[in-house]
């Protein structure tokens, strides 16, 4: 069945949260609606469920990979070209530690960013946006089936939406 | 107590995007002037490469002069970004909000500028390829990873990469605002940069966690970068006066001192240029002034310790360098006079200016103090590096002093124009004050009655 995106705009966080509750009571699953804001509200302020993520895995993985790569580069390079300088060991631990420290952090940072981008699930082609949201209104975007659209529109209007539009 | 008033989101957008959606009349003339200075310096670099480093004041004894001084100076400035953004973000300091983006961007541009200096300084920049990356497998030329001159580019590139990604991640929600307010090709560019940002709770949560994670990861890089820069000198065994055990923290604290001062000055300039009085307020400058007193005093402690440790060992060569730094001698350059000037303008003058609250809130006085710190910190690096090389050493049969020539002066001066130009161009396409950060501060603000006083408070979620 074809679905339609309906955007309700609210000028108050409580009204938007009430609208979310009303949708839930009407049997619309939480996965079918989403709040859109121009500012990070404290988690749960709009009545939404807690989001789970595994972002913390990425820096750990990246750090490990960075460390291994640094160990390989830092270890193989002096062994490949053994230059004896001032009777110092060819494979010296302090320089290797410096290279590994930097490499592990670089890996952790790069992987964190990759993890964030993957977790955000970019939708470059068709992002839902409305300039009024960036001006302080709170959007409540509902993906409803064609038969549910009139009911969703009525719920949003009853909850105090300043505007409801179908997208 | 927090000052200022809660502003509507539409006004915040209008005010903070003005630099992007409208072009002030002064903008292009100023950018052109700065660009002309950079062009003149670029031509000078070309002449220097063609003619050789002989046209500079560098010589057999003093091989690290203005360029390396300037390199360390700009690396130092780059430490402002992490200090203000990462530490204050982790500490959830409310007053960080208008300062973070400018500090982060200043970090990126000053790092880029710093990296140009050692490349120019080699005289034959293409040879730097044999010195770091990529490996020249064909001819078996591999870098010596035991030298800090290889650790240095690896740490700086890590810091530059991290800072750039940090800024991009923080900019994504603002890209989305610009995407919705522009048309034509700018809209296309902002749409791609916004990566489909909608502002749903999941995206916000990930964005905030990413900020915290990246802050925590960049902080160790921040400490390592200037430590490694100090080892560029500390591990040069031939030069006395560069081997104090406090060199690394001394460099790091000095970097924060000059970097935060530079950010304060940049914020005052931005406030004046773009009329951001409602966002960069006296309370922010005041808080940064208080922070600077602490940082400056920490730096002064390390300065004194570095000198005391140098003298304490009573080694002849070391004492000779200290005498060169502090006592009047028969050298052409009066390092001791510059030493007095440097300590005066880097610590005593600015701290005196920062102590009274009224002076911390006077933008003219704060500007003067911050410029004074940065002139002083540039001098500090010069006085740290040059006398050690100019000193007459055991079994050395030639020695020279260092007198910088016009190419060095022009190139060093142009680096300031370069960073200023990049900052202005950035402000033309991206917001220099984070929109969502300001708005978040506003929605969490409220007024509360305590006895007979009404105080502004900000709620914070832990």
């Amino acid at each position: 069945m074809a679905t339609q995106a309906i955007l309700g705009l609210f000028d108050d966080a409580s009204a938007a949260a009430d609208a979310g509750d009303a949708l839930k009571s009407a049997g619309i699953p939480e996965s079918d609606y989403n709040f859109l804001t121009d500012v990070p509200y404290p988690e749960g302020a709009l009545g939404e469920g807690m989001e789970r993520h595994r972002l913390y895995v990425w820096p750990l993985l990246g750090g490990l990979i960075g460390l291994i790569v640094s160990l390989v580069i830092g270890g193989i390079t002096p062994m490949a070209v053994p230059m004896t300088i001032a009777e110092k060991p060819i494979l010296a631990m302090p320089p290797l530690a410096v290279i590994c420290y930097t490499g592990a952090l670089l890996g952790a940072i790069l992987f964190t960013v990759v993890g964030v981008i993957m977790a955000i699930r970019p939708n470059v082609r068709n992002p839902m946006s409305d300039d009024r949201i960036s001006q302080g209104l709170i959007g409540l975007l509902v993906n409803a089936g064609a038969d549910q659209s009139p009911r969703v529109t009525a719920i949003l209007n009853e909850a105090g939406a300043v505007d409801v539009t179908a997208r | 107590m927090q000052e200022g008033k809660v502003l509507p989101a539409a006004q915040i957008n209008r005010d903070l995007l003005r630099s992007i959606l409208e072009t002030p009349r002064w903008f292009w003339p100023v950018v052109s002037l700065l660009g002309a200075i950079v062009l003149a310096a670029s031509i000078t670099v070309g002449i220097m490469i063609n003619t050789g480093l002989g046209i500079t004041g560098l010589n057999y004894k003093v091989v690290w002069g203005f360029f390396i001084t300037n390199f360390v100076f700009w690396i130092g400035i780059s430490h402002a970004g992490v200090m203000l953004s990462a530490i204050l973000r982790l500490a959830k300091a409310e007053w960080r909000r208008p300062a973070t983006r400018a500090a982060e961007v200043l970090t990126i541009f000053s790092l880029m500028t710093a990296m140009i200096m050692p490349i120019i300084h080699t005289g034959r920049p293409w040879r730097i390829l044999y010195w770091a990356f990529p490996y020249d497998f064909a001819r078996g030329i591999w870098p010596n990873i035991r030298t800090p001159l290889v650790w240095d580019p690896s740490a700086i590139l890590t810091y530059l990469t991290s800072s750039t990604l940090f800024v991009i991640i923080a900019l994504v929600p603002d890209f989305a605002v610009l995407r919705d307010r522009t048309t034509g090709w700018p809209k296309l560019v902002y749409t791609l940069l916004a990566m489909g940002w909608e502002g749903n709770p999941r995206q916000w949560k990930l964005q905030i966690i990413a900020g915290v994670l990246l802050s925590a990861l960049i902080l160790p890089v921040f400490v390592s970068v200037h430590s490694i820069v100090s080892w560029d000198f500390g591990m040069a065994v031939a030069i006395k006066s560069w081997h104090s055990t406090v060199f690394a923290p001394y460099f790091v604290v000095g970097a924060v001192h000059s970097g935060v001062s530079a950010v304060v000055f940049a914020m005052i300039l931005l406030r004046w240029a773009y009329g951001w009085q409602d966002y960069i307020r006296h309370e922010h400058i005041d808080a940064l002034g208080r922070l600077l007193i602490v940082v400056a005093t920490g730096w002064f402690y390390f300065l004194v310790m570095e000198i005391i440790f140098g003298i304490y060992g009573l080694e002849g060569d070391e004492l000779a360098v200290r005498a060169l730094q502090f006592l009047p001698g028969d050298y052409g350059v009066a390092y001791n006079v510059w030493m007095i000037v440097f300590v005066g303008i880097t610590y005593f003058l600015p701290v005196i200016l920062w102590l009274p609250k009224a002076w911390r809130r006077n933008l003219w006085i704060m500007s003067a103090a911050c410029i004074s710190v940065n002139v002083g910190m540039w001098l500090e690096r010069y006085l740290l590096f040059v006398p050690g090389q100019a000193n007459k050493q055991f079994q050395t049969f030639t020695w020279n002093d260092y007198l910088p020539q016009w190419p060095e002066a022009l190139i060093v001066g142009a680096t300031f124009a370069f960073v200023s130009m990049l900052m202005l161009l950035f402000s033309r396409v991206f917001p220099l004050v984070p929109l969502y950060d300001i708005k978040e501060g506003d929605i969490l603000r409220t007024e509360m009655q305590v006895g007979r006083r009404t105080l502004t408070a900000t709620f914070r979620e832990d």
Side-chain angles (χ1 to χ4, degrees):
Chain A
M1 186 191 292
T3 59
Q4 190 176 28
I6 299 167
L7 180 68
L9 292 169
F10 297 84
D11 55 8
D12 178 58
S14 303
D18 292 344
D21 290 344
L23 287 171
K24 211 182 299 178
S25 305
I28 294 178
E30 246 184 284
S31 56
D32 281 353
Y33 64 89
N34 220 339
F35 293 97
L36 309 178
T37 59
D38 66 334
V39 62
Y41 278 84
E43 196 169 18
L46 300 170
E48 78 280 16
M50 297 288 172
E51 292 284 350
R52 303 186 77 173
H53 66 91
R54 291 187 177 173
L55 200 55
Y56 297 104
V57 174
W58 289 90
L60 292 173
L61 180 67
L64 187 65
I65 291 173
L67 181 67
I68 292 167
V69 171
S70 309
L71 272 172
V72 170
I73 291 176
I76 289 178
T77 306
M79 301 299 273
V81 187
M83 287 183 288
T84 307
I85 301 167
E87 297 181 5
K88 289 187 175 130
I90 299 296
L91 184 62
M93 285 303 127
L96 193 58
V98 173
I99 298 287
C100 288
Y101 179 89
T102 308
L105 284 166
L106 179 62
I109 289 165
L110 289 176
F111 271 68
T112 303
V113 173
V114 171
V116 171
I117 292 170
M118 289 184 72
I120 282 178
R121 299 171 195 151
N123 172 23
V124 181
R125 284 191 178 177
N126 192 23
M128 177 52 69
S129 66
D130 190 305
D131 190 35
R132 288 172 293 177
I133 294 172
S134 74
Q135 298 191 32
L137 293 185
I138 296 165
L140 179 50
L141 182 68
V142 189
N143 288 311
D147 58 330
Q148 290 177 312
S149 294
R151 191 157 57 106
V152 168
T153 305
I155 290 171
L156 296 177
N157 279 321
E158 277 169 29
V162 292
D163 186 36
V164 178
T165 47
R167 298 290 174 124
Chain B
M1 189 177 118
Q2 292 180 54
E3 297 161 10
K5 52 184 185 290
V6 173
L7 299 167
Q11 189 186 336
I12 293 174
N13 289 346
R14 200 168 47 245
D15 290 348
L16 298 182
L17 297 181
R18 193 183 301 132
S19 64
I20 301 164
L21 303 174
E22 300 165 20
T23 308
R25 265 191 292 179
W26 53 263
F27 185 84
W28 289 114
V30 171
V31 169
S32 304
L33 177 68
L34 296 170
I37 296 169
V38 173
L39 181 66
S42 305
I43 292 168
T44 308
V45 171
I47 293 169
M48 199 173 71
I49 290 170
N50 189 42
T51 315
L53 286 176
I55 64 167
T56 68
L58 297 171
N59 54 65
Y60 170 68
K61 276 292 286 165
V62 183
V63 292
W64 287 0
F66 259 35
F67 294 143
I68 297 300
T69 300
N70 208 40
F71 160 71
V72 179
F73 173 80
W74 283 112
I75 293 283
I77 296 290
S78 77
H79 279 51
V82 172
M83 171 69 198
L84 283 178
S85 188
I87 294 180
L88 299 182
R89 189 188 295 259
L90 288 175
K92 296 184 178 173
E94 270 307 304
W95 54 270
R96 74 173 195 278
R97 293 184 189 278
T100 50
R101 177 78 48 78
E104 291 157 6
V105 173
L106 187 61
T107 291
I108 295 172
F109 294 146
S110 49
L111 273 176
M112 285 164 55
T113 309
M115 287 178 73
I116 295 170
M117 289 291 109
I119 295 172
I120 293 172
H121 159 84
T122 58
R124 297 287 179 270
W126 52 93
R127 289 191 178 171
I128 213 160
L129 296 180
Y130 307 146
W131 186 59
F133 285 99
Y135 283 6
D136 190 349
F137 290 108
R139 285 186 287 179
I141 301 171
W142 293 51
N144 175 15
I145 70 141
R146 287 174 295 177
T147 166
L149 300 183
V150 167
W151 312 342
D152 196 335
S154 71
I156 293 172
L157 280 171
T158 297
Y159 191 37
L160 180 62
T161 309
S162 321
S163 307
T164 308
L165 292 173
F166 191 46
V167 170
I168 291 172
I169 291 290
L171 266 167
V172 169
D174 291 350
F175 288 148
V177 176
L178 283 161
R179 173 194 65 197
D180 298 342
R181 296 173 75 92
T182 47
T183 53
W185 67 266
K187 185 181 181 72
L188 183 68
V189 173
Y190 290 125
T191 301
L192 288 172
L193 291 170
M195 294 189 288
W197 182 268
E198 294 177 343
N200 61 48
R202 178 181 173 78
Q203 290 180 335
W204 279 120
K205 180 171 182 171
L206 289 166
Q207 209 266 353
I208 289 168
I209 293 172
V212 173
L213 273 178
L214 288 174
S215 298
L217 289 168
I218 287 180
L219 277 175
V221 180
F222 149 84
V223 175
S224 77
V225 168
H226 227 47
S227 300
I228 290 174
V229 168
S230 84
W231 298 337
D232 287 346
F233 304 92
M235 298 219 176
V237 288
I239 309 291
K240 290 293 174 185
S241 82
W242 287 356
H243 307 124
S244 166
T245 49
V246 297
F247 235 42
Y250 173 45
F251 268 54
V252 173
V253 178
V256 173
H257 185 30
S258 62
V260 176
S261 300
V263 168
V264 173
F265 182 59
M267 285 173 68
I268 293 171
L269 277 183
L270 290 170
R271 175 189 149 106
W272 170 74
Y274 292 120
W276 287 340
Q277 285 83 355
D278 286 329
Y279 305 93
I280 300 170
R281 298 191 293 268
H282 287 99
E283 63 175 314
H284 300 124
I285 306 294
D286 181 3
L288 285 164
R290 277 180 277 154
L291 175 71
L292 277 167
I293 294 171
V294 178
V295 174
T297 306
W299 168 83
F300 187 67
Y301 167 78
F302 282 114
L303 169 74
V304 173
M305 285 302 113
E306 197 269 329
I307 295 164
I308 288 175
F309 289 162
I311 296 168
Y312 192 66
L314 295 178
E315 286 182 47
D317 284 345
E318 180 86 31
L319 289 177
V321 178
R322 300 299 168 179
L324 190 57
Q325 282 177 326
F326 295 105
L327 302 176
D330 52 1
Y331 285 82
V333 182
Y335 290 113
N336 61 324
V337 176
W338 285 114
M339 209 73 189
I340 294 165
V341 172
F342 136 65
V343 177
I345 64 173
T346 313
Y347 183 71
F348 291 103
L349 175 67
V351 169
I352 289 168
L353 294 177
W354 290 329
L355 282 174
K357 186 176 181 179
W359 288 5
R360 286 198 304 272
R361 286 169 169 261
N362 182 315
L363 301 183
W364 289 104
I365 291 176
M366 281 301 284
S367 300
C370 292
I371 292 171
S372 168
V373 167
N374 276 297
V375 172
M377 287 305 292
W378 201 96
L379 261 179
E380 182 226 27
R381 276 70 178 244
Y382 181 82
L383 293 167
L384 208 56
F385 308 146
V386 174
Q389 297 172 82
N391 179 42
K392 297 171 190 174
Q393 290 180 53
F394 181 62
Q395 285 193 332
T396 299
F397 302 101
T398 59
W399 55 84
N400 280 302
D401 213 331
Y402 172 64
L403 195 63
Q405 302 299 307
W406 70 268
E408 293 145 293
L410 177 60
I411 292 167
V412 165
T415 57
F416 291 84
F418 185 56
V419 172
S420 308
M421 185 181 75
L422 291 176
M423 289 290 285
L424 281 176
L425 290 174
F426 184 95
S427 75
R428 185 70 190 82
V429 284
F430 303 122
L432 262 179
V433 175
L435 300 167
Y436 70 89
D437 226 7
I438 297 289
K439 292 176 190 171
E440 185 191 26
D442 280 355
I443 65 161
L444 298 176
R445 256 169 95 153
T446 189
E447 289 194 336
M448 57 190 291
Q449 196 72 30
V450 179
R452 291 182 181 175
R453 286 197 64 188
T454 305
L455 301 176
T456 310
T458 300
F459 290 103
R460 203 172 73 183
E461 190 185 19
D462 280 321

